[in-house]
Amino acid sequence: MQAELKTLARDGVLRVAINTGNRALVQQDGSTLTGVSPALAQRLAEEIGARMEPVIYSGAGKVFDDAGADKWDIGFLAIDPMRAEKIAFTQPYIVIEATYAVRSDAAFKDVEDVDAAGVQVLTSAGSAYDMHLTKNLQHATLERSGTPPESFEEFRAGRCDAVAGVRASLEGAFAGSPDIRILSGVLTSVRQAMVLPDNTDPRIAALNDFVGRAIEDGFVEAAQNA
């Protein structure tokens, strides 16, 4: 398995797609990346004797769009059947929550209240919660924006009645905003996995084993709490 993992790098470089739009997994301070996803990427690079080269994206949809474009070797995305038609997933290494941010004076008390006639919901195109809403929203109108930060700013500026997002990202964007509140309920639980850009790549078994080891030896939990 170790030999298979080594072939993921090219000329000693492992190109890793990093989505900085998901603050639950990645935090960025200038050129410094922290969080569980960069930590896993760095551990993998060290195990196979490669240099980790981050390929920065501002949204999950853009990572997925570049699969097959030879821009990254491994990545981190939420597990979704539609995506699985194109890319290969490991087992999930973490499960995170998505919910809504709404106006402070809105009548919404829980996530179920948002799916009502006349309500406009904003989401980041191509995100896991966009896919969830596309399948499950029955009464509200779904509108799409670009990356999560772009959707948050458009919501702040007055677009739509609610904006979906990963809870940690919403909290990071709207902390201290008196006119916006984050609903406590869970819109969907998102299973995050490591991915390869080709769903027929047999090396996904070796990568899955890597993820399993990182979970079992406590590395993932430690990286989350770092």
Side-chain angles (χ1 to χ4, degrees), residues 186-199:
V186 178
L187 171 62
T188 183
S189 293
V190 182
R191 298 180 300 150
Q192 294 286 337
M194 295 186 76
V195 300
L196 297 180
D198 178 0
N199 70 347

Side-chain angles (χ1 to χ4, degrees), residues 93-111:
Y93 61 90
I94 190 175
V95 179
I96 57 178
E97 294 180 353
T99 187
Y100 293 115
V102 300
R103 315 288 172 198
S104 294
D105 59 358
F108 310 123
K109 294 184 178 180
D110 206 344
V111 291

Side-chain angles (χ1 to χ4, degrees), residues 27-91:
Q27 298 85 50
Q28 183 175 25
D29 184 6
S31 60
T32 301
L33 297 170
T34 56
V36 63
S37 293
L40 276 170
Q42 186 59 47
R43 170 170 165 158
L44 176 60
E46 290 174 359
E47 279 197 15
I48 64 176
R51 176 175 61 85
M52 195 267 277
E53 181 179 286
V55 182
I56 303 300
Y57 291 89
S58 54
K62 294 184 177 182
V63 176
F64 180 72
D65 288 343
D66 274 353
D70 195 26
K71 293 186 178 180
W72 51 268
D73 303 309
I74 68 162
F76 300 86
L77 286 172
I79 296 173
D80 182 86
M82 291 175 58
R83 289 175 175 169
E85 295 177 3
K86 185 176 181 180
I87 62 178
F89 291 94
T90 66
Q91 62 185 289

Side-chain angles (χ1 to χ4, degrees), residues 8-15 50-53 73:
L8 293 172
R10 300 185 187 182
D11 299 321
V13 177
L14 182 69
R15 300 171 301 169
R51 176 175 61 85
M52 195 267 277
E53 181 179 286
D73 303 309

Side-chain angles (χ1 to χ4, degrees), residues 4 9 20 31 37 39 45 51 63 79 84 89 95 109 122 135 151 155 157 160 165-166 180 186 216 220:
E4 289 182 88
T20 59
S31 60
S37 293
R51 176 175 61 85
V63 176
I79 296 173
F89 291 94
V95 179
K109 294 184 178 180
L122 185 60
K135 296 175 185 175
S151 68
F155 177 72
C160 293
V166 170
I180 296 174
V186 178
E216 290 171 9
V220 169

Side-chain angles (χ1 to χ4, degrees), residues 1 6 16 60-61 77-78 99 151 162 170 177 179 193 196 202 206 220:
M1 292 244 177
K6 286 184 177 181
V16 182
L77 286 172
T99 187
S151 68
L170 291 170
S177 299
D179 56 338
L196 297 180
V220 169

Side-chain angles (χ1 to χ4, degrees), residues 80-83 100 115 121-145 164 187-188:
D80 182 86
M82 291 175 58
R83 289 175 175 169
Y100 293 115
D115 190 8
V121 175
L122 185 60
T123 183
S124 172
S127 63
Y129 42 89
D130 175 23
M131 296 178 182
H132 173 82
L133 289 167
T134 299
K135 296 175 185 175
N136 295 285
L137 210 61
Q138 296 182 10
H139 306 290
T141 301
L142 186 61
E143 296 190 16
R144 294 177 176 83
S145 181
L187 171 62
T188 183

